[in-house]
Amino acid sequence: MQIVTTIEELRSIVKWWRGEGHSVGLVPTMGYLHEGHKSLIEKAVSENGRVVVSDFVNPTQFGANEDLSTYPRDIDRDAALCEAAGADVIFHPTPEEMYAPDSCTFVDMDRLTKGLCGKTRPTHFCGVCTVVSKLFNIVTPDRAYFGQKDAQQLAVIRRMVRDLNFNIVIVGCPIVREQDGLAMSSRNTYLSEKERKAALVLHKSLTVGEELLHAGEKDAEKVKAAILKQIRTEPLARVDYVELVDAENLEPVKKIDGPILAALAVYIGKTRLIDNFSYAPET
Ligand code: AMP
């Protein structure tokens, strides 16, 4: 497995692979990889001749007061995980390699990016769409892999690929959790021991909501209220949002009569964590 830092070198490797007739999979990440990322890489390896994992803490998707400078980084550990998962290349560029100093072109999206995480992170999805478009243009993959953990991001990327006619199949992958239910995240490393325990409330509260839905509850407000009530049992938790939205357009729903996404963002101490589940009533 190779660590590649320049766009030029990556392009020439992909060209070589194409000459040999290989299909190419891309797994975009911000590094500090864990089992959740690994599941995406393994899926990509099982479906493509060659796999690129991008490992880049993308500055344009962080707001001014967010954790860009403290976001955890460990390229040596990441390289070992990628190699074990069967990736062929890690693309690990510098911000200067990715963005010219006078770069002023962005890919932005209306509607799907306004609610959920877009409310507290108004510039985030523009940064995501821009960097993912750039990676798509650099790697020109056949398939790209994204986790359901970031459900809004997955919906946004699917919409961007449709709207801008990228010839790439987007593959969504299930959330990988710790044994006690906490969704794996690079940001979990910010949590103290006490906060780590408190963070279980995200999954616990979603489970309460999911059980209500499976028991036949159709009123979104009631499900939301039950989730909120459970979160409020945890003194270290502060709710950013809890929403039940249409699975495709991410608009809030009142009545559950089609596929939905139940998503939340909760601060545990200073760390903002997200989690979600998808649900579709039986027809
Ligand atoms: P990140 O490095 O956090 O930007 O994540 C890179 C990709 O890995 C995204 O598509 C995430 O949705 C996905 N991912 C992160 N955590 C998990 C998880 N616990 N389970 C599944 N996918 C994940």
Side-chain angles (χ1 to χ4, degrees):
M1 197 202 57
Q2 260 177 288
I3 302 180
V4 172
T5 57
T6 68
I7 294 165
E8 195 186 347
E9 193 188 351
L10 183 57
R11 282 209 162 119
S12 79
I13 291 171
V14 172
K15 197 171 167 195
W16 173 258
W17 289 345
R18 292 293 187 195
E20 301 216 305
H22 293 298
S23 60
V24 178
L26 169 68
V27 184
T29 83
M30 296 211 298
Y32 213 73
L33 305 179
H34 49 63
E35 291 295 315
H37 298 110
K38 197 174 179 191
S39 72
L40 270 59
I41 301 167
E42 285 172 342
K43 174 99 171 136
V45 167
S46 74
E47 294 180 346
N48 299 276
R50 293 289 182 269
V51 169
V52 177
V53 178
S54 64
D55 187 312
F56 177 59
V57 182
N58 172 41
T60 64
Q61 70 189 68
F62 287 78
N65 299 316
E66 293 181 356
D67 56 343
L68 173 60
S69 63
T70 54
Y71 196 85
R73 294 159 167 90
D74 188 343
I75 188 64
D76 294 335
R77 213 175 117 252
D78 290 352
L81 184 144
C82 285
E83 182 142 39
D88 298 281
V89 160
I90 295 193
F91 179 47
H92 183 53
T94 60
E96 295 73 29
E97 176 71 7
M98 286 297 278
Y99 294 101
D102 57 352
S103 171
C104 53
T105 308
F106 300 95
V107 180
D108 208 354
M109 186 182 293
D110 203 355
R111 298 212 284 263
L112 271 75
T113 59
K114 300 300 172 208
L116 306 176
C117 290
K119 263 197 187 140
T120 36
R121 307 187 75 193
T123 59
H124 173 69
F125 289 107
C126 177
V128 169
C129 288
T130 301
V131 79
V132 171
S133 298
K134 285 162 73 70
L135 290 166
F136 284 176
N137 284 330
I138 294 165
V139 181
T140 61
D142 299 281
R143 299 175 195 82
Y145 297 78
F146 294 86
Q148 185 67 33
K149 158 83 190 338
D150 299 87
Q152 187 175 16
Q153 170 173 278
L154 177 57
V156 164
I157 297 296
R158 284 193 197 284
R159 182 63 64 94
M160 180 184 82
V161 162
R162 190 202 73 180
D163 287 354
L164 298 185
N165 309 98
F166 281 105
N167 192 16
I168 297 170
V169 175
I170 301 303
V171 182
C173 303
I175 301 176
V176 176
R177 298 179 179 281
E178 303 284 358
Q179 275 196 346
D180 59 9
L182 179 66
M184 289 194 182
S185 164
S186 309
R187 288 192 168 97
N188 291 349
T189 52
Y190 295 150
L191 301 170
S192 69
E193 211 176 304
K194 209 170 149 204
E195 288 170 342
R196 171 67 183 74
K197 280 197 190 116
L200 289 179
V201 79
L202 276 81
H203 184 236
K204 258 193 229 155
S205 62
L206 285 175
T207 306
V208 169
E210 207 170 0
E211 280 168 1
L212 268 180
L213 288 167
H214 283 288
E217 182 57 67
K218 301 267 180 235
D219 184 341
E221 275 310 314
K222 284 193 182 149
V223 178
K224 206 169 133 175
I227 294 173
L228 282 166
K229 190 175 166 202
Q230 181 69 37
I231 298 172
R232 290 189 179 122
T233 62
E234 174 47 64
L236 293 184
R238 182 166 59 84
V239 175
D240 178 1
Y241 69 79
V242 174
E243 295 285 357
L244 273 69
V245 298
D246 178 278
E248 201 174 319
N249 64 27
L250 307 184
E251 294 291 333
V253 294
K254 284 199 165 82
K255 191 167 170 251
I256 318 293
D257 52 10
I260 60 134
L261 171 74
L264 52 73
V266 173
Y267 290 90
I268 301 291
K270 287 199 170 103
T271 306
R272 184 176 174 281
L273 299 175
I274 57 172
D275 202 347
N276 68 81
F277 69 87
S278 301
Y279 172 80
E282 281 170 33
T283 46

